[in-house]
Amino acid sequence: MMGPRQEAQGALFYDFSLEDPVPRDHLLRSIDRFVDLSSMRSHIAAFYSHTGRPSIDPELLIRMLIVGYCFGIRSERRLCEEVHLNLAYKWFCRLDLTDPVPDHSSFSKNRHGRFRESELLRHLFETVVARCIEEGLVSGQRLAVDASLIEADANKQNSTPKEEWDVRSIDPADAPRAVREYLEVLDHEAFGAASEVDPKFTSHSDPASQWTAARKGPAFFSYSDNHLIDTDFGVIVDVEGTRSIRQAEVGSTRTMIDRVEDKFGIVPEWLIADTAYGSGPMLGWLVDRQIDPYIPVIDKAGRPDGTWTRTDFEWDAENDQYVCPEGHALKQLRRNYCDPNRGPTGKGVAKYRALKLTCQSCPSKARCCPNADFRSITREEHEDARQTARDLAKTDQYEIAMKLRKKVEMLFAHLKRILGLNRLRLRGPNGANDEFLLAATAQNLRKLAKLLPAPAALPKAP
């Protein structure tokens, strides 16, 4: 028998609690146990006025942003609609059924103001990292680093070629916020000072973004999201936004390692990375800090003509010389010369030369220097560190390290496919860092919720 037509009938009173309809195994229930915002008010209190109308609770805005980035809702306008409609979101944000949801404009007002001035989003990220350490998910022994390109909110149609770009013509007083931020980071090692080479195109709307074709496809404007992770459970311990060039990405590694040491006292035993981080200065910096670099070395010592390479010569550190396979010495200086070209280059590279007479009478000249009168070898300033990395590459631990490095790539895949961070919504270096910090915070919270789920609810007594 067909039942009666269902019609909604309003009631004068409702006995209803948001605690009941939210499932016990809902992701937000597990995440909520690890969201500690108790220190947030004291952190940001100095940036509020002591008089005037009360503001929107900053904890509410932060909780809404956590919901948005955990579930890939990056549009703040849509986020407000979803929080208004979804009971689980309301419960997580500590809203009642009748409580109003803040307007979407409140986010941009606070983000460009007190949130950014107080570095609140970094404080939130570091609070979550501290909780991961407390729960035993971070040992700090083996860290891995990598970078991923995130498309910027910029279009080639609104850009200028480098031949026509003149930064001196920009008036900061009339410039948009992203352009003013670009002017502020011209001397920053992660942006303007990372390289003397000007990009092929510069965006008018977001000039700090980098024009790049690194994906071997159509070029686009982008930023690099740099992650430093602990390889035990794949927890992100630091994050930094930079230009999408190798020099800036490598430089951010030093910044992040210094920051986690200052903040959490983490000094890793290993650093795992790909070949982009295998330059001499980077390896030298790691070895000086007694960090084992499990990194492929950038080595251009190979010779296309099949003659002996630098690796065929034995380094004699005690006598500051190379010894060729025939037993002859290649020295940097044999006596004091007034010719400056004979001494150190001052560019972090030293030249070692064999005697001309020795090479001319050597039976292996055809295999060593067939087209030159004598053999010379260049040695970089950080060659000892490079050799340390080469020696580590021959160990069994190196294979383990290369497998652990894939955890960084998995996090970037999760970032783009699950959280939807394929393209930035905010412009400028600060906007990029805000998005990267929120996304990394969401990934760590989801990691905590997955590894330490909420206990199952006990059955109700009859």
Side-chain angles (χ1 to χ4, degrees):
M1 179 179 70
M2 183 181 294
R5 184 185 299 275
Q6 181 69 37
E7 295 183 0
Q9 295 181 356
L12 185 59
F13 300 103
Y14 288 94
D15 184 12
F16 182 82
S17 172
L18 282 177
E19 189 71 27
D20 299 330
V22 181
R24 291 294 169 185
D25 58 350
H26 196 282
L27 177 63
L28 285 179
R29 280 198 181 272
S30 294
I31 288 178
D32 184 64
R33 298 181 300 124
F34 304 108
V35 177
D36 181 11
L37 304 180
S38 58
S39 63
M40 192 182 70
R41 283 185 167 272
S42 59
H43 180 82
I44 201 174
F47 297 88
Y48 281 88
S49 173
H50 298 289
T51 60
R53 188 175 62 180
S55 69
I56 298 173
D57 186 1
E59 182 176 338
L60 170 60
L61 298 178
I62 291 298
R63 284 183 173 272
M64 289 180 66
L65 287 173
I66 291 175
V67 169
Y69 278 82
C70 281
F71 292 94
I73 308 171
R74 296 177 50 242
S75 167
E76 290 158 357
R77 188 185 297 269
R78 184 185 159 214
L79 175 61
C80 293
E81 296 173 355
E82 292 292 334
V83 172
H84 177 71
L85 295 172
N86 193 300
L87 295 180
Y89 296 172
K90 277 184 175 290
W91 171 85
F92 181 80
C93 295
R94 307 296 191 259
L95 292 172
D96 199 1
L97 281 176
T98 58
D99 290 335
V101 176
D103 188 76
H104 65 88
S105 61
S106 302
F107 290 97
S108 59
K109 180 67 175 177
N110 283 275
R111 182 177 59 248
H112 295 309
R114 52 182 67 96
F115 282 9
R116 192 162 290 170
E117 294 169 359
S118 64
E119 297 187 348
L120 181 64
L121 298 182
R122 178 159 290 280
H123 174 73
L124 171 67
F125 168 74
E126 291 175 346
T127 301
V128 175
V129 174
R131 183 59 184 271
C132 293
I133 296 173
E134 180 183 341
E135 296 292 342
L137 302 184
V138 176
S139 67
Q141 296 178 351
R142 298 179 295 192
L143 302 185
V145 66
D146 204 353
S148 182
L149 301 182
I150 307 295
E151 188 174 352
D153 185 22
N155 196 301
K156 183 185 176 183
Q157 305 303 321
N158 187 26
S159 64
T160 297
K162 64 179 179 180
E163 296 83 7
E164 303 175 13
W165 179 258
D166 185 10
V167 67
R168 294 170 298 180
S169 63
I170 301 176
D171 183 6
D174 298 332
R177 180 182 291 106
V179 178
R180 294 199 302 270
E181 292 180 10
Y182 160 73
L183 297 175
E184 293 172 359
V185 298
L186 284 176
D187 296 328
H188 197 287
E189 63 177 358
F191 290 96
S195 173
E196 297 179 357
V197 179
D198 296 327
K200 187 175 181 180
F201 293 96
T202 301
S203 170
H204 296 167
S205 57
D206 193 354
S209 61
Q210 178 73 28
W211 178 256
T212 179
R215 290 179 180 170
K216 309 301 180 182
F220 57 97
F221 288 105
S222 74
Y223 285 92
S224 283
D225 185 7
N226 300 272
H227 279 184
L228 183 67
I229 75 162
D230 184 274
T231 58
D232 289 355
F233 292 95
V235 173
I236 305 170
V237 296
D238 205 355
V239 60
E240 182 80 3
T242 64
R243 285 176 65 187
S244 298
I245 57 175
R246 185 179 63 86
Q247 298 93 319
E249 294 169 359
V250 173
S252 70
T253 304
R254 295 191 288 267
T255 301
M256 292 188 291
I257 291 176
D258 285 339
R259 194 155 50 204
V260 296
E261 181 180 357
D262 294 340
K263 185 66 180 179
F264 305 111
I266 293 176
V267 181
E269 298 176 4
W270 294 13
L271 182 71
I272 308 169
D274 59 23
T275 313
Y277 300 82
S279 63
M282 183 65 206
L283 296 174
W285 186 84
L286 291 171
V287 171
D288 288 344
R289 299 185 61 138
Q290 298 181 346
I291 301 174
D292 292 339
Y294 287 87
I295 304 172
V297 180
I298 299 176
D299 198 345
K300 299 180 180 180
R303 297 166 71 93
D305 56 1
T307 56
W308 287 337
T309 66
R310 181 172 54 197
T311 56
D312 295 317
F313 290 73
E314 181 183 353
W315 169 245
D316 181 2
E318 183 178 353
N319 297 310
D320 188 24
Q321 65 181 15
Y322 278 98
V323 179
C324 76
E326 292 289 345
H328 304 301
L330 285 76
K331 295 181 177 292
Q332 183 180 7
L333 296 173
R334 297 181 185 273
R335 60 183 180 183
N336 294 326
Y337 289 96
C338 60
D339 183 359
N341 294 327
R342 297 272 188 158
T345 62
K347 299 179 180 179
V349 177
K351 272 194 174 183
Y352 292 81
R353 300 176 177 88
L355 289 173
K356 180 179 178 180
L357 292 175
T358 302
C359 289
Q360 293 295 334
S361 60
C362 181
S364 301
K365 186 176 186 302
R367 300 178 58 191
C368 182
C369 53
N371 301 320
D373 294 334
F374 57 90
R375 180 61 187 266
S376 64
I377 292 179
T378 58
R379 179 178 177 84
E380 293 190 9
E381 179 184 358
H382 302 285
E383 190 61 31
D384 291 337
R386 289 158 57 89
Q387 189 58 45
T388 299
R390 293 191 193 100
D391 294 339
L392 290 173
K394 301 174 184 177
T395 62
D396 295 336
Q397 289 85 351
Y398 186 80
E399 296 182 7
I400 299 173
M402 292 300 102
K403 292 179 181 178
L404 293 174
R405 189 179 66 83
K406 296 180 180 179
K407 292 189 177 184
V408 195
E409 299 172 356
M410 293 171 61
L411 284 170
F412 285 131
H414 181 274
L415 177 73
K416 296 178 180 180
R417 294 186 179 184
I418 307 301
L419 302 189
L421 192 63
N422 292 299
R423 181 186 174 97
L424 296 173
R425 292 184 61 253
L426 307 180
R427 292 174 176 171
N430 289 332
N433 270 307
D434 287 351
E435 293 216 57
F436 295 157
L437 283 167
L438 282 168
T441 301
Q443 286 185 287
N444 282 344
L445 286 172
R446 291 176 64 109
K447 181 78 66 175
L448 282 165
K450 178 183 178 181
L451 298 177
L452 304 169
L458 296 175
K460 294 183 180 180

